[in-house]
Every structure is written in structure tokens, then in C-alpha cells.
Amino acid sequence: MAASGNLTGIWQGLYHYPRARAPVGFTATLIESGAWLSGSIHETVQDEWGDWCEAFSTLLGKRAGQAVTFAKTYDGGNGWTHSVGYEGALSDDATEIEGRWSLPGNGSGKFLMIRPEGRRATILREAFERI
């Protein structure tokens, strides 16, 4: 699948903090329409007291070739309503997005998203297109 492949689907991700904190895993559902990306993210994170909690957010962004940018905005649960910016590069086979997240005034770190079903979904999509 070339990088022009549609990003719609379920992605598994991981982001790292710049400090000595454990990486956070997340599941993202992406919908690509034209150059626009939308979707949602679910993650289990530690709050300011060190307790683990579920966090939900929406995703809105753009894609230009292999460049992927989006903002993740928390839904207000746990008192979080802030947005986090993500900038990444799509792999040639359109199954990975790797880059950096940033929260102005509060740091940045690396992230990686993988679409394990990407190859299988492409094969199915191509099969349906032939029918």
C-alpha cells in the first residue's frame, strides 16, 4: 500500500513523556475525508494524583502526502479539556505514523501509531473494488 492509502481505521499508539514516566498506550479511530482527519482517542492515563483513569478525546487534523498533523482535545472527563498537538510522518506502506506531540508550555515527546490491520484492509478493499 502506497502512502496515498486512506488512513481510515483503528490505530494502536504509544506516546512518551520527556520525563521519567511510563509511556501511555492509546487506541485511535481515524476517519480520513479528502485532506481532513477526524476521529477519537481512548487511553488509560495517570492523573495529577498518580491514579489511573480512562481519558477520551476527539481528533481533528489534516494530511498532506506523508505529513500528518492533528489536535487531540480531551472531552472534559477528569477535568481535562486541553488540546495536544501531534505532527508526524506516514510510513511508505501507510501502516505507521511516527512523530512528536506537544503541549505548549508543558513539554513534548515522541509518539508512534500502528495500523496492524492496514495490509489486510487494503487487500479487502482492492478485492471489493474488482467486484
Side-chain angles (χ1 to χ4, degrees):
M1 176 158 72
S4 61
N6 191 289
L7 302 184
T8 298
I10 306 296
W11 295 72
Q12 297 301 314
L14 190 67
Y15 64 84
H16 299 268
Y17 287 100
R19 299 173 298 282
R21 289 179 69 185
V24 176
F26 63 91
T27 300
T29 302
L30 297 182
I31 300 168
E32 182 177 16
S33 179
W36 293 99
L37 291 175
S38 62
S40 62
I41 295 177
H42 169 253
E43 57 193 290
T44 303
V45 296
Q46 281 186 299
D47 63 17
E48 56 268 22
W49 299 283
D51 296 325
W52 290 97
C53 58
E54 300 297 310
F56 300 92
S57 54
T58 58
L59 176 150
L60 185 60
K62 294 183 94 174
R63 175 180 171 202
Q66 288 181 266
V68 177
T69 59
F70 60 89
K72 171 178 75 174
T73 304
Y74 288 99
D75 70 354
N78 308 309
W80 298 348
T81 58
H82 63 280
S83 294
V84 180
Y86 284 75
E87 294 184 10
L90 181 65
S91 64
D92 288 338
D93 65 357
T95 61
E96 294 183 12
I97 302 170
E98 184 174 10
R100 295 195 65 77
W101 63 266
S102 63
L103 183 58
N106 207 10
S108 66
K110 296 178 183 179
F111 80 93
L112 174 66
M113 295 170 60
I114 298 173
R115 178 171 46 177
E117 295 295 320
R119 293 184 208 286
R120 193 171 98 191
T122 299
I123 292 167
L124 289 172
R125 192 171 17 255
E126 289 172 356
F128 282 116
E129 287 173 358
R130 287 193 300 259
I131 296 175

